[in-house]
């Protein structure tokens, strides 16, 4: 075996590039479906947390705290083996989606809760005093104001989730990191450790970096637009 | 028939007994002003009239209908509007959008009708030229006049004012009061919590004095400001009017 970064090692990666692409595809698929689940859970539990009803708040709190204060690896193993031993194993992909979705949902719920709570109480009261019901209040008045508080951190949660697909490795997933690992340890393919992990990391970076950059740019532009709206009206006042 | 009726209304915040068996009737078109020291339950009383605070016990009737948790959205939508101390305009919408939101989404008006209505009331509050700006660009007094126009756009029979001038700079208080005085000439039922005694004297059909969660005295402004019965009122007025 020649050096860690030998041309031979890099060449091997090129030959087996399909493995990495497959891993990427699996990671994105898992992440996308898990994202939908996480969004649904996040919205439900975020709304419960801001409902003002003690019981509903408690339910949301329990979900968020239990999920956020135990390792995602443990949740994944638990779900995988619990389901497997119950005789209804849905397979690694579905397990991964469920586990990631449930895990990420807890963070989504917090982001949504914080966004809704960032809107002053007077806005809720004004809406209620006009006769808006819960849905109208949220739709016309609260969500439009909280969305700019919600979206940037939500994008970061999504980035984290994409990275967390690598945890599927523990239950033998087919995501990017798992496939990279089997590649470097495989009997025929093994050996190109450093290049393989660099490629794997680069792929993650290429996906995640634009997302987080986009998130922060979005936030900045929303803030700017707000300032502009403020300034454009100001001179008229004089 | 009373437009608003509070019957044995009690309200607790935790252990704090904020409203103690409050009974109050407001008839149609009446201008009722509620005065009293801070923490006396004035704001809580008017907030019970649209269930922003739900009474711990007792009954609230609005336009002949008992207000309950179940029907509050509908009754409030149909019969009441509110003007807040902090204006609470929607900052993400232009003034015009603030005014047309409820009429189009809740009162089944077309965009055109709602905008005509909005311009009509903007004219009344003297801010027709501000239709397209965002509320945060306006002064406090202007925002409160917009908030009054927004309340008027719902065309409800009752408008509740919860200390509408308390958050304003002294020099903008009068412009808001002037709008309210103009409004008082209409047949709208107005309940106003305020510390503006001049306004109470000029506009009120009846003044109610509250202290410690109770209605201490109620009467016409003349009675109230010239010859109050209760010592508590005399003491309060003595402090305010010099």
């Amino acid at each position: 075996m020649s050096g860690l970064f030998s041309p031979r090692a890099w060449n091997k990666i090129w030959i087996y590039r399909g493995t990495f692409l497959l891993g990427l595809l699996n990671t994105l698929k898992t992440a996308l479906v898990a994202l939908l689940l996480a969004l649904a859970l996040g919205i439900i539990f975020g709304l419960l947390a801001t409902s003002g009803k003690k019981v509903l708040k408690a339910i949301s709190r329990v979900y968020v705290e239990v999920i956020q204060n135990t390792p995602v690896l443990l949740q994944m193993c638990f779900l995988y083996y619990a389901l497997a031993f119950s005789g209804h194993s849905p397979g690694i992909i579905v397990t991964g989606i469920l586990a990631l979705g449930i895990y990420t949902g807890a963070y989504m719920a917090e982001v949504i809760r914080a966004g809704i709570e960032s809107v002053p109480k007077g806005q809720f009261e004004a809406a209620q005093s006009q006769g808006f019901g819960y849905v109208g209040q949220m739709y016309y008045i609260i969500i439009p104001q909280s969305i700019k508080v919600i979206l940037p951190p939500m994008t970061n949660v999504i980035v984290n989730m994409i990275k967390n697909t690598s945890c599927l490795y523990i239950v033998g997933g087919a995501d990017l990191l798992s496939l990279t690992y089997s590649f470097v340890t495989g009997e025929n393919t093994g050996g190109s450790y450093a290049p393989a992990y660099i490629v794997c990391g680069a792929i993650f970076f290429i996906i995640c970096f634009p997302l987080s950059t986009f998130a922060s740019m979005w936030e900045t532009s929303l803030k700017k637009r707000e300032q502009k709206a403020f300034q454009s009206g100001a001179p008229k006042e004089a | 028939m009373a437009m608003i009726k509070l019957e044995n209304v009690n309200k607790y915040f935790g252990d704090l007994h904020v409203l103690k068996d409050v009974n109050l009737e407001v008839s149609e078109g009446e201008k009722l002003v509620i005065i009293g020291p801070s923490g006396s339950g004035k704001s809580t009383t008017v907030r019970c009239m649209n269930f922003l605070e739900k009474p711990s016990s007792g009954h609230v009737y609005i336009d002949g209908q008992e207000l309950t948790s179940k029907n509050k959205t509908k009754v409030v939508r149909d019969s009441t509007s509110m003007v807040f101390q902090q204006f609470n305009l929607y900052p993400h919408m232009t003034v015009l959008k603030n005014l047309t939101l409820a009429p189009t989404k809740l009162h089944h008006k077309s965009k055109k009708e709602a905008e005509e209505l909005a311009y009509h009331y903007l004219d009344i509050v003297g801010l027709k030229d501000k239709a397209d700006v965002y509320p945060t660009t306006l002064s406090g007094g202007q925002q409160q006049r917009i908030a009054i126009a927004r309340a008027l756009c719902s065309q409800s029979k009752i408008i509740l004012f919860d200390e509408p001038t308390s958050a304003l700079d002294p020099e903008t208080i009068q412009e808001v009061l002037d709008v309210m005085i103009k409004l008082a000439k209409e047949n709208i039922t107005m309940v106003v919590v305020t510390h503006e005694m001049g306004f109470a004297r000029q506009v009120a059909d009846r003044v109610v004095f509250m202290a410690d969660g109770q209605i201490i005295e109620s009467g016409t402004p003349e009675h109230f400001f010239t010859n109050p019965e209760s010592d508590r009122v005399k003491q309060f007025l003595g402090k305010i009017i010099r």
Side-chain angles (χ1 to χ4, degrees), chain A residues 13-76:
Chain A
I13 303 256
W14 180 246
I15 293 170
Y16 286 96
R17 58 190 182 275
T19 307
F20 292 92
L21 287 178
L22 180 67
L24 171 63
L25 197 69
N26 287 338
T27 280
L28 288 182
K29 267 197 227 161
T30 312
L32 196 70
V33 186
L35 171 63
L36 294 180
L37 177 61
L39 268 179
L41 288 172
I43 291 170
I44 292 169
F45 285 96
L47 291 178
L48 289 185
T50 53
S51 65
K53 303 256 189 318
K54 267 189 194 154
V55 182
L56 301 182
K57 274 166 94 170
I59 292 172
S60 172
R61 217 54 240 156
V62 168
Y63 165 64
V64 169
E65 296 299 346
V66 167
I67 296 297
Q68 288 197 347
N69 294 296
T70 52
V72 63
L73 276 179
L74 173 91
Q75 292 164 20
M76 219 163 257

Side-chain angles (χ1 to χ4, degrees), chain B residues 5-22:
Chain B
K5 188 173 171 193
L6 304 188
E7 213 174 74
N8 305 324
V9 168
N10 281 280
K11 177 71 188 176
Y12 293 86
F13 291 126
D15 289 336
L16 207 63
H17 199 174
V18 200
L19 293 184
K20 298 170 184 163
D21 233 15
V22 170

Side-chain angles (χ1 to χ4, degrees), chain B residues 4 11 14 21 45 61-62 72 93 95 97 109 113 121 126 145 182 187 194 203 209 212 229 242:
Chain B
I4 305 169
K11 177 71 188 176
D21 233 15
T45 302
Y61 299 89
I62 298 295
K72 68 172 178 188
M93 299 176 182
V95 165
K97 199 82 214 303
K109 292 210 160 48
E113 285 173 302
Y121 288 120
R145 281 147 70 197
K182 209 194 279 186
N187 189 36
T194 187
V203 166
F209 178 85
D212 306 319
E229 283 156 31
R242 304 233 156 138

Side-chain angles (χ1 to χ4, degrees), chain A residues 121-123 125-133 140-141 144-145 229-231 233-234 236-237, chain B residues 47 52 73 76-77 80 84 88-93 101-102 105-106 130 136-137 139 142 150:
Chain A
K121 198 164 155 254
Q123 293 292 308
E125 293 189 344
Q128 280 166 37
S129 78
Q130 288 201 296
F132 281 100
Y140 295 113
I141 293 140
Q145 292 185 62
F230 184 80
Q231 283 160 357
K236 283 183 193 166
E237 237 211 288
Chain B
R47 286 162 62 87
L52 282 184
T73 303
V76 164
R77 175 188 308 168
T80 72
F84 297 85
N88 297 344
L89 293 171
Y90 305 132
H92 60 301
M93 299 176 182
L101 185 71
K105 306 301 176 196
L106 298 178
K130 299 293 185 193
T136 43
T137 65
S139 71
Q142 288 173 327
R150 180 174 72 177

Side-chain angles (χ1 to χ4, degrees), chain A residues 4-229:
Chain A
L4 273 178
F5 297 96
S6 70
R8 229 188 90 224
W10 281 105
N11 191 40
K12 201 180 260 175
I13 303 256
W14 180 246
I15 293 170
Y16 286 96
R17 58 190 182 275
T19 307
F20 292 92
L21 287 178
L22 180 67
L24 171 63
L25 197 69
N26 287 338
T27 280
L28 288 182
K29 267 197 227 161
T30 312
L32 196 70
V33 186
L35 171 63
L36 294 180
L37 177 61
L39 268 179
L41 288 172
I43 291 170
I44 292 169
F45 285 96
L47 291 178
L48 289 185
T50 53
S51 65
K53 303 256 189 318
K54 267 189 194 154
V55 182
L56 301 182
K57 274 166 94 170
I59 292 172
S60 172
R61 217 54 240 156
V62 168
Y63 165 64
V64 169
E65 296 299 346
V66 167
I67 296 297
Q68 288 197 347
N69 294 296
T70 52
V72 63
L73 276 179
L74 173 91
Q75 292 164 20
M76 219 163 257
C77 292
F78 172 77
L79 198 65
Y80 182 72
Y81 292 109
L83 287 173
F85 281 104
S86 74
H88 303 287
S89 180
I92 291 162
I93 299 265
V94 176
T95 308
I97 288 170
L98 283 177
L100 273 179
I102 293 171
Y103 176 77
T104 311
Y107 288 88
M108 287 286 184
E110 282 296 87
V111 166
I112 290 170
R113 178 188 61 76
I116 291 173
E117 283 178 354
S118 74
V119 178
K121 198 164 155 254
Q123 293 292 308
F124 293 83
E125 293 189 344
Q128 280 166 37
S129 78
Q130 288 201 296
F132 281 100
Y134 182 75
V135 176
Q137 229 179 89
M138 285 294 161
Y139 184 78
Y140 295 113
I141 293 140
I142 306 304
I143 300 296
Q145 292 185 62
S146 49
I147 201 82
K148 61 176 177 287
V149 182
I150 289 176
L151 282 176
M154 185 181 272
T155 313
N156 291 327
V157 170
I158 294 172
V159 167
N160 271 322
M161 190 186 62
I162 294 173
K163 291 189 292 177
N164 278 335
T165 56
S166 53
C167 293
L168 283 172
Y169 157 73
I170 200 79
V171 289
D175 62 286
L176 182 54
L177 187 81
S178 301
L179 288 190
T180 307
Y181 184 75
S182 354
F183 171 75
V184 294
T185 53
E187 207 173 313
N188 303 315
T189 56
S192 311
Y193 292 100
Y197 284 125
I198 288 175
V199 168
C200 176
I203 295 175
F204 270 116
F205 186 82
I206 289 168
I207 304 295
C208 294
F209 178 68
L211 267 179
S212 36
T213 309
F214 172 68
S216 54
M217 276 168 49
W218 194 354
E219 193 181 9
T220 316
S221 90
L222 275 168
K223 274 189 188 147
K224 261 197 197 138
R225 200 182 312 162
E226 218 167 56
Q227 260 174 6
K228 222 178 184 177

